[in-house]
């Protein structure tokens, strides 16, 4: 590995993962390019979570599950049995912890939409998401004749930092929204790879630069960090 590659994360990482990068010999810095507020309309959320007209629930973000946890603490709700679909291991694990079993999970929204569309008994779904969520999943499902009800259960605010990108040897992106926020006021040198949590985030980077994009094996922060260490460890000196 080249001496002390400098890695920047567009989201502040858990301490154990930032320490792992430091211990692996990386110079590491980070800033949050988005702020997430778990803000929702309680009455609407409570009705939608047990909507009798929908055959399935969709969660594509752990933030949506955090909001569900808040709702369940605020109200006693007996969750009705129906199909549940998720993106990412973390959201799936968090749902399981509160007794909601996932019927299928995928690494990105489009892959999940394709799985959902193959469920012939699913005619209508409730999609629990943020105010900045992409329209790719609803548009795909609606093109297949499946009705989608979006329930906004958290809000994302862009934070436009200006950072000294000249020193970066790699940048971590964990969401398309963070990509939009980062590139609003920053550019990357052409030889700097972007380490992305999934295909949708990678595509967002591609819209803004031609840099190499390296996608994690799993849609998790841990897997992105693994990919960073693997890439620079195997890089010739």
């Amino acid at each position: 590995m080249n001496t002390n590659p400098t890695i920047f994360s567009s989201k502040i990482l858990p301490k154990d993962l930032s320490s792992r990068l430091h211990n692996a010999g990386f110079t590491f810095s980070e800033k949050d390019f988005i702020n997430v507020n778990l803000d929702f309309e309680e009455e609407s959320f409570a009705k939608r979570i047990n909507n009798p007209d929908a055959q399935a629930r969709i969660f594509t973000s752990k933030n949506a599950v955090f909001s569900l946890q808040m709702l369940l603490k605020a109200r006693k709700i007996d969750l009705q049995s129906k199909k549940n679909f998720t993106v990412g291991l973390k959201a799936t694990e968090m749902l399981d912890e509160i007794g909601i079993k996932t019927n299928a999970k995928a690494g990105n929204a489009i892959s999940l939409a394709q799985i959902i569309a193959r469920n012939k008994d699913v005619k209508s779904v409730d999609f629990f998401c943020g105010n900045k969520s992409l329209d790719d999943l609803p548009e795909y499902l609606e093109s297949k004749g499946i009705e989608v009800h979006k329930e906004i259960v958290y809000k994302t605010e862009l934070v436009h930092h200006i950072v000294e990108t000249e020193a970066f040897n790699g940048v971590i992106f964990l969401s398309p929204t963070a990509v939009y926020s980062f590139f609003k006021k920053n550019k990357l040198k052409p030889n700097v790879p972007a380490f992305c949590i999934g295909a949708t985030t990678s595509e967002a980077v591609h819209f803004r630069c031609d840099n190499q994009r390296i996608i994690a094996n799993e849609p998790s922060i841990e897997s992105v960090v693994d990919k960073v260490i693997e890439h620079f460890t195997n890089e010739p000196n």
Side-chain angles (χ1 to χ4, degrees), residues 54-70:
Q55 294 79 45
R57 307 180 185 100
I58 302 173
F59 299 88
T60 59
S61 163
K62 65 181 182 181
N63 292 318
V65 185
F66 278 130
S67 288
L68 176 58
Q69 290 174 337
M70 287 180 61

Side-chain angles (χ1 to χ4, degrees), residues 12-124:
I12 294 178
L13 301 185
K15 290 296 183 184
D16 61 325
L17 294 180
S18 58
S19 296
R20 190 169 167 223
L21 286 167
H22 281 300
N23 294 338
F26 292 87
T27 299
F28 176 70
S29 60
E30 57 189 350
K31 281 186 181 294
D32 276 328
F33 276 78
I34 59 174
N35 283 333
V36 175
N37 296 310
L38 303 180
D39 183 22
F40 52 84
E41 294 183 11
E42 186 176 311
E43 190 67 32
S44 178
F45 194 0
K47 288 181 179 179
R48 185 64 64 185
I49 200 68
N50 277 334
N51 175 21
D53 297 323
Q55 294 79 45
R57 307 180 185 100
I58 302 173
F59 299 88
T60 59
S61 163
K62 65 181 182 181
N63 292 318
V65 185
F66 278 130
S67 288
L68 176 58
Q69 290 174 337
M70 287 180 61
L71 175 69
L72 295 178
K73 286 180 180 178
R75 290 188 173 213
K76 178 174 175 53
I77 299 174
D78 293 323
L79 294 172
Q80 295 175 2
S81 177
K82 62 173 66 180
K83 291 187 174 181
N84 300 284
F85 299 95
T86 58
V87 167
L89 179 61
K90 185 63 176 178
T92 304
E93 290 176 341
M94 289 171 64
L95 284 174
D96 187 63
E97 288 169 4
I98 57 177
I100 298 178
K101 300 298 182 183
T102 298
N103 292 79
K105 67 180 177 69
N108 59 74
I110 282 296
S111 295
L112 186 68
Q114 292 169 341
I115 292 170
I116 295 168
R118 291 198 289 270
N119 285 257
K120 301 303 182 185
D121 58 325
V122 174
K123 306 297 182 184
S124 179

